[in-house]
Amino acid sequence: MRKRKIRKKEVAKKVIRIIRVILFYLLIFLAFTTIFGTKWALREAQINNFEQILLTLTNSVSTASTEMIISFIKECILISLLLTIIIFFITKFFKNLEVFINIKIKKIIIKINFYKIISFIFLIVLITYAIYYASSGLYIYDYIKYSNIESNFFETLYVDPKEVDLEFPEEKRNLIYIFLESMESTYADKENGGAYDINYMPELTNLAKNNINFSSNNLVGGAHMAYNASWTMAAMVSHTAGIPLKTVFNQDDVSTYEAGTTLPGSYSIGDILRDEGYRQYIMVGSDLTFGGRRIYFKNHEDYTVYDYYTAIEDGIIDEDYYVFWGYEDEKLFDYAKKELKEISKSDEPFNFTMLTVDTHFPDGYIDNSCKDIYDDNYLTSIDCSSEKLDEFINWIKKQDFYENTTIILVGDHLSMNTYSFDEIDPNYNRSVYNVFINSAVDTDCNKNRNFTTFDYYPTTLASLGVKIKGERLGLGTNLFSCKETLSEEYGNDYIDEKLMEYSPYYESCIGKKCKKEE
C-alpha cells in the first residue's frame, strides 16, 4: 500500500515536471513569435495603432493574401520554432552538466541549481523583451493609455446624419465610387505636388488637374489620413460614414466581430441612397469577407456583391484561378464593364462601388500588360494602375449613362509599403489621393485645404447634387461648401489624439444602436 502511494507521488511529480518543461518551451516559442511577429508587422506594414491589429485579428483573416500568410509563417512561426528547438538541445546539453552549490545559512542548507537559475533568468529576460518590443512597436501602451481616457469628442462634434435634412435633385445622379488601394498623391512628380522626380501616376495626375481635386496644397494633393482610418476596412467606414473604425466590446445582441464592423448605430451613404431608391453594388478582386467588409456593406445597406467567388460563378475567372489577393485589376475592370452595361439599363439610379487591389503592399502586383520599366516593383504597380484606371474612366465616358453619373476616385488610405518612400523628403506631407469627375457642383475652395477622409462622406453626396443642411455629416464637412472642416478648425493632431481616447457615445450609439432608437 505504501509502495503504491510512493509510486503515485513519483508519477505526479513526473507529470508536473513534464508540464513545467512543456510550459517553459511554449513560453520561449511564444516570446520568439511575438518578437519576430512584431518585426514582421513593422516591416510589412506601417502600423500606427494597435486597434488596426486588434480589429483585423477579430475579423476574418483567413482570406488574406496567400503570399502574406506564407511570409508570416516562414518568418515568424518557423523561425521561432527553429530557435526553440535549438534552445531545447542547448538546455539538454547543459542539464547534463548541472552544477549544484550548497550554501549553509544558520544550520539550513540551501541547494542551488545553476542550470535552473540561468534557465529561469533567460526565460524572464526573453519574455520581458518580447513584451517591451511588442508594446512599444505596436502601440499597445498607447492603446491602453488612451482607452482609459474618456472623451466627449463625438458627443460635441459628431453630426448624426439621420437628423440632417438632405435635399436630392429631382433627377438623381448615378455614383461610381472607386477605392484605389493605397493610392497617394505622393506618387506624382514634384512639379505636380508629389514627392518624386518621376511621375509614377501620370494619368491620375492629369485626371486630378482636369477635374476637381481637393488638395492640401496648390497642386495635386489630398486628404490627411485620420486615426483609425489607416487600413482598408477602416478607410471604407471613414469614407462612407464619416467616422473612424474603433473597437467595440460590450455588445448586447450580436457578437463583437459582427457589431465591430456592422456599426448598427451609424448611418452611411449606403443607408441614405437606399432610402432614395438607389440600387447598390460593390465589386472587389478578393473575398469581400476579409476584415469584415462583407458584413459592413451587407448591413449598410444590402449591397449586391461581386467578389472573387462571384467572378468564378460568372465565368470571369476559372475555379482554380488565384493570384495575389484573388484576381488582378485588369480582370476587375473587365468585370465592371460587363456589369455596368447591365446595371445602367434600369431607370433607377445606382451606386457602384469598387476597390482595386494591384497596388496593395508590400510589392504590388504586376501583370503581363504592365510596363516593367522601374527598379521598384511597387512603384511599377502604381504606374500600371494609373494607366488602367485612365482607360477605365475613358470607357465610362463613352457610355450612355455617363452624362448623369458622378465618378469619384479616392485612395483608401496611405500606403503601408515600407521601402518606396525611403528617399523622399522626410518633411513631405503624404496625402490620400482624390478626384471628382463629372460632379453636379463645382467649387473654388478645393486647394490649400486641411481635411480628412471623413470629409469625403458629405462631399460625395454634394457631388451628386444633394443639398446638405449645415454642410456636415458624421465628422465630415462638405468640401464643396467652403465651410471650415474640423481639421481646419482644430488641427489634425488634436483630432487624432481625441479619436484615440475612449468614447462612450461611439460605443453606445455607433457601435450599437442608441437606446432611444430601439
Side-chain angles (χ1 to χ4, degrees):
M1 188 74 175
R2 189 177 176 183
K3 288 183 178 179
R4 190 178 299 171
K5 286 183 179 180
I6 293 172
R7 197 177 300 116
K8 284 184 177 179
K9 285 183 180 180
E10 289 176 351
V11 170
K13 286 181 181 179
K14 189 173 182 180
V15 169
I16 291 172
R17 282 198 301 269
I18 292 171
I19 292 173
R20 283 166 52 189
V21 169
I22 292 173
L23 184 61
F24 176 78
Y25 291 109
L26 178 62
L27 288 173
I28 288 176
F29 171 74
L30 292 176
F32 277 131
T33 302
T34 300
I35 293 168
F36 288 108
T38 300
K39 185 177 180 181
W40 179 86
L42 293 174
R43 190 194 72 241
E44 293 293 332
Q46 293 180 343
I47 304 294
N48 63 6
N49 72 78
F50 182 64
E51 284 193 273
Q52 175 180 349
I53 299 170
L54 190 61
L55 282 160
T56 301
L57 291 178
T58 53
N59 284 275
S60 175
V61 296
S62 61
T63 55
S65 166
T66 51
E67 292 178 12
M68 186 181 299
I69 294 172
I70 291 170
S71 171
F72 179 81
I73 292 172
K74 283 182 177 178
E75 299 181 35
C76 304
I77 305 297
L78 292 182
I79 290 179
S80 298
L81 183 61
L82 178 62
L83 287 173
T84 303
I85 292 171
I86 291 172
I87 289 173
F88 171 79
F89 284 109
I90 291 173
T91 54
K92 271 287 186 184
F93 172 77
F94 281 104
K95 185 172 175 60
N96 295 328
L97 302 175
E98 282 184 319
V99 176
F100 294 91
I101 295 181
N102 294 332
I103 299 177
K104 188 175 182 181
I105 302 175
K106 293 183 178 180
K107 297 183 179 180
I108 299 174
I109 297 176
I110 301 174
K111 191 175 185 180
I112 298 176
N113 186 331
F114 270 86
Y115 162 76
K116 288 185 178 180
I117 288 176
I118 293 171
S119 298
F120 180 75
I121 292 172
F122 170 77
L123 180 62
I124 294 301
V125 170
L126 183 64
I127 291 174
T128 301
Y129 176 74
I131 292 172
Y132 167 76
Y133 185 52
S135 60
S136 58
L138 302 179
Y139 299 89
I140 298 174
Y141 171 76
D142 286 342
Y143 173 73
I144 295 171
K145 172 187 172 183
Y146 284 103
S147 293
N148 289 288
I149 300 175
E150 193 168 302
S151 169
N152 65 348
F153 181 79
F154 272 89
E155 289 91 331
T156 305
L157 297 174
Y158 177 76
V159 176
D160 191 342
K162 294 185 289 292
E163 299 177 1
V164 176
D165 290 332
L166 302 174
E167 183 183 338
F168 275 75
E170 186 175 342
E171 185 180 2
K172 292 169 183 159
R173 297 177 66 81
N174 303 313
L175 171 63
I176 297 178
Y177 198 99
I178 309 179
F179 289 99
L180 312 180
E181 175 61 51
S182 305
M183 192 59 70
E184 307 182 24
S185 301
T186 312
Y187 305 125
D189 55 1
K190 295 173 183 176
E191 183 181 348
N192 286 294
Y196 295 92
D197 293 327
I198 298 171
N199 192 341
Y200 293 102
M201 47 181 284
E203 294 83 5
L204 289 178
T205 300
N206 288 332
L207 283 172
K209 291 168 69 174
N210 296 324
N211 295 279
I212 300 171
N213 164 247
F214 292 97
S215 175
S216 54
N217 53 54
N218 199 40
L219 300 169
V220 176
H224 168 72
M225 183 181 68
Y227 181 81
N228 273 16
S230 58
W231 67 101
T232 299
M233 181 61 222
M236 286 177 153
V237 171
S238 168
H239 289 228
T240 61
I243 54 175
L245 178 58
K246 294 173 69 66
T247 47
V248 178
F249 292 108
N250 63 337
Q251 302 306 318
D252 296 330
D253 56 350
V254 289
S255 69
T256 299
Y257 162 63
E258 290 180 335
T261 50
T262 299
L263 301 174
S266 66
Y267 196 66
S268 71
I269 279 181
D271 297 306
I272 291 172
L273 297 184
R274 180 267 328 266
D275 292 343
E276 291 294 326
Y278 277 71
R279 294 164 296 123
Q280 306 195 81
Y281 310 85
I282 181 165
M283 177 178 285
V284 300
S286 56
D287 182 350
L288 189 65
T289 303
F290 180 76
R293 298 175 300 181
R294 185 182 301 273
I295 291 174
Y296 179 73
F297 282 100
K298 291 296 287 185
N299 286 278
H300 295 276
E301 178 60 53
D302 200 18
Y303 285 63
T304 297
V305 172
Y306 301 100
D307 68 351
Y308 172 76
Y309 295 105
T310 60
I312 292 174
E313 293 171 6
D314 293 341
I316 303 300
I317 57 176
D318 294 332
E319 188 174 353
D320 59 348
Y321 189 86
Y322 194 97
V323 297
F324 206 34
W325 282 74
Y327 63 97
E328 66 273 34
D329 288 345
E330 184 172 29
K331 289 181 173 60
L332 181 78
F333 292 131
D334 288 340
Y335 196 8
K337 291 174 184 178
K338 173 179 175 292
E339 296 305 319
L340 280 169
K341 286 179 180 178
E342 292 300 316
I343 291 168
S344 62
K345 291 177 181 179
S346 173
D347 293 331
E348 295 174 317
F350 65 81
N351 166 21
F352 190 83
T353 300
M354 292 178 63
L355 168 66
T356 64
V357 72
D358 284 2
T359 50
H360 200 286
F361 80 97
D363 299 317
Y365 180 81
I366 303 172
D367 63 38
N368 293 331
S369 68
C370 295
K371 301 171 184 174
D372 194 3
I373 56 177
Y374 303 114
D375 294 333
D376 188 310
N377 286 343
Y378 188 71
L379 292 177
T380 299
S381 74
I382 296 294
D383 181 88
C384 190
S385 180
S386 175
E387 185 176 349
K388 283 180 168 59
L389 282 160
D390 187 55
E391 189 278 329
F392 182 58
I393 298 304
N394 286 330
W395 177 87
I396 294 174
K397 288 181 178 180
K398 296 175 183 177
Q399 308 309 305
D400 294 337
F401 61 82
Y402 172 69
E403 184 179 352
N404 194 41
T405 299
T406 295
I407 306 170
I408 301 175
L409 306 181
V410 281
D412 55 354
H413 52 71
L414 296 180
S415 176
M416 298 177 189
N417 172 277
T418 55
Y419 62 83
S420 296
F421 305 96
D422 290 344
E423 297 182 7
I424 70 171
D425 184 346
N427 296 316
Y428 178 83
N429 183 29
R430 293 167 59 189
S431 59
V432 181
Y433 175 85
N434 71 86
V435 61
F436 289 70
I437 302 169
N438 202 27
S439 168
V441 292
D442 204 345
T443 183
D444 294 324
C445 305
N446 58 315
K447 298 298 181 182
N448 298 308
R449 301 294 305 272
N450 188 6
F451 61 102
T452 68
T453 52
F454 301 143
D455 297 307
Y456 290 154
Y457 177 26
T459 304
T460 296
L461 289 170
S463 73
L464 298 176
V466 180
K467 294 180 180 178
I468 306 167
K469 187 175 182 180
E471 307 295 355
R472 292 274 316 280
L473 294 174
L475 297 178
T477 302
N478 172 20
L479 297 171
F480 284 101
S481 70
C482 303
K483 183 174 182 176
E484 198 172 36
T485 65
L486 293 183
S487 295
E488 290 166 337
E489 187 174 354
Y490 297 98
N492 291 322
D493 290 341
Y494 174 82
I495 292 172
D496 286 341
E497 184 172 3
K498 289 300 175 183
L499 293 178
M500 293 174 71
E501 296 172 352
Y502 169 68
S503 170
Y505 180 87
Y506 186 100
E507 187 164 283
S508 60
C509 288
I510 294 176
K512 61 181 181 179
K513 289 187 177 181
C514 286
K515 289 183 179 179
K516 64 181 180 179
E517 298 174 8
E518 293 176 346

